[in-house]
Amino acid sequence: MNTQDISVAKGTHLAVQAAHARNTGTELKPEWFEDIAVNRSATERRAATLTTRRTVKKEYQAAWLVKAITCIDLTTLAGDDTAGRVQRLCAKARRPVRADILEALGLADANITTGAVCVYPTMVRHAVKALQGTSIPVASVATGFPAGLTPLPQRLAEIRYAVGEGAKEIDIVINREQVLTQNWSELYDEIVQMREASGDAHLKAILATGDLNTLRNVYRASMVAMQAGADFIKTSTGKEEVNATLPVSLVMLRALRDFGEYSGQIVGFKPAGGMKTAKDAMNWLILMKEELGLPWLQPDLFRLGASSMLGDIERQLEHYVTGRYAASSRHALA
């Protein structure tokens, strides 16, 4: 690959913005969301046409895939997680693409890493140790993940534990019953307390959209979470029957955009669950670019909750460099 070809990646696509101010939230304002209606068929049509409207090929596709890597929350949330598995995952986060591929792309000195590593609270200490000397933050799920149905004091204590272990980002999960029964004040109050328990750690609110039944509920839950001070809104735990989808993501982005217009504050977005391929990464990058613009294609405002996706992205980059597809086993994660 000609190193000049990837200059677009070194420029627009790899640019990292200065950190923006955190979302301080607002008072609970039901008038911002209660009367909103969502046209499902129009939403699905818009989401479907976004990814077919244009084709990104060759060096431009390579640049966008490198950008996707920098936005991945490399994740392991398995019942059999061990310190060794977390250490291997962190090693991959430090060097997500083989050195020979980066050199061929002209990015040997670009310090490409993933956006974060996401683990359970008891694994945070291992991840923090493995990532010493890097700027890669450790994110931890909390609040009775994935169901979110433990008593509130225990959920808040879990947040404090993860922060105490060194987590810089906390992925909380909301109580879906509060959305399904439209108990907005209780949902708001709980997220406010979770935000306070997180301290300086950024708060990502997982809406578990596959459990919310309607796109209208997705919009409403998104708005309440942002009013309560969430720094990111996130689609799924990855454990629901239906996880991240483009139509749901589109509704969340419209809520995010509306919140910004009402409050003047910036909130990030994280789809998670069910995304496995480089094509999936491209689809969500296109959605972000078309709906919110280039400022949201940065890891401080956009994350992809995935692990297996990284292996396929590296495989596609090797194909671009060599013209040949490698076996998937050549790009194992951990």
Side-chain angles (χ1 to χ4, degrees):
M1 178 181 183
N2 189 317
T3 57
Q4 292 181 344
D5 291 341
I6 205 70
S7 61
V8 64
K10 286 185 172 179
T12 302
H13 294 284
L14 288 183
V16 177
Q17 292 184 323
H20 57 80
R22 293 187 64 186
N23 176 28
T24 59
T26 67
E27 296 178 354
L28 178 62
K29 297 179 181 290
E31 63 271 19
W32 287 9
F33 58 84
E34 277 198 330
D35 295 332
I36 289 294
V38 180
N39 185 320
R40 177 176 288 274
S41 62
T43 301
E44 292 174 346
R45 185 166 59 251
R46 166 69 174 167
T49 58
L50 272 173
T51 57
T52 59
R53 192 172 300 170
R54 64 184 65 184
T55 302
V56 182
K57 295 293 187 181
K58 299 183 179 180
E59 68 269 21
Y60 295 99
Q61 184 182 74
W64 279 66
L65 290 177
V66 173
K67 165 51 63 182
I69 290 171
T70 68
C71 295
I72 288 177
D73 279 6
L74 202 57
T75 302
T76 181
L77 296 171
D80 59 350
D81 281 345
T82 64
R85 174 181 289 174
V86 170
Q87 289 161 4
R88 291 192 297 272
L89 198 73
C90 291
K92 189 64 176 178
R94 283 172 172 263
R95 307 187 79 171
V97 181
R98 288 204 328 259
D100 61 303
I101 297 175
L102 287 178
E103 185 175 356
L105 293 171
L107 297 173
D109 299 322
N111 190 31
I112 303 298
T113 70
T114 65
V117 168
C118 185
V119 295
Y120 276 117
T122 54
M123 296 289 120
V124 168
R125 180 177 299 183
H126 304 304
V128 169
K129 183 178 180 181
L131 293 173
Q132 282 181 349
T134 76
S135 60
I136 305 170
V138 175
S140 176
V141 297
T143 64
F145 179 94
L149 291 176
T150 54
L152 181 60
Q154 294 181 18
R155 285 181 277 158
L156 298 177
E158 189 176 25
I159 292 173
R160 297 187 188 101
Y161 173 84
V163 171
E165 292 290 281
K168 299 300 182 185
E169 301 176 1
I170 299 294
D171 289 30
I172 63 103
V173 60
I174 67 168
N175 183 335
R176 282 74 118 184
E177 181 186 14
Q178 294 161 351
V179 178
L180 297 174
T181 60
Q182 300 181 33
N183 191 343
W184 307 123
S185 59
E186 188 172 342
L187 176 62
Y188 175 87
D189 290 343
E190 285 196 357
I191 298 176
V192 166
Q193 292 182 65
M194 293 172 185
R195 172 74 155 78
E196 292 173 351
S198 299
D200 292 334
H202 280 58
L203 185 74
K204 305 194 198 89
I206 307 172
L207 306 184
T209 55
D211 293 339
L212 299 187
N213 293 345
T214 68
L215 293 178
R216 187 179 184 188
N217 279 343
V218 170
Y219 184 96
R220 290 167 159 183
S222 299
M223 194 65 78
V224 174
M226 291 184 286
Q227 289 180 359
D231 297 295
F232 272 70
I233 50 174
K234 175 179 172 181
T235 60
S236 318
T237 66
K239 309 295 185 180
E240 292 87 55
E241 186 175 342
V242 178
N243 293 289
T245 68
L246 287 170
V248 160
S249 297
L250 176 59
V251 170
M252 293 175 70
L253 293 185
R254 293 292 177 88
L256 189 156
R257 193 167 68 188
D258 290 346
F259 178 79
E261 292 177 357
Y262 287 135
S263 70
Q265 300 194 80
I266 298 173
V267 178
F269 175 67
K270 177 180 174 180
M275 298 178 296
K276 299 181 181 300
T277 67
K279 183 178 180 180
D280 291 332
M282 291 296 298
N283 287 343
W284 263 271
L285 286 169
I286 290 169
L287 177 67
M288 296 298 290
K289 169 65 168 59
E290 294 293 324
E291 287 293 317
L292 296 176
L294 285 174
W296 262 265
L297 289 179
Q298 306 297 338
D300 61 340
L301 288 175
F302 177 56
R303 299 287 181 80
L304 292 158
S307 288
S308 58
M309 174 189 287
L310 178 56
D312 192 53
I313 290 175
E314 189 177 18
R315 184 168 175 260
Q316 295 299 326
L317 290 174
E318 183 174 19
H319 175 263
Y320 176 70
V321 168
T322 66
R324 300 182 301 276
Y325 277 113
S328 298
S329 59
R330 284 177 54 85
H331 303 289
L333 283 180

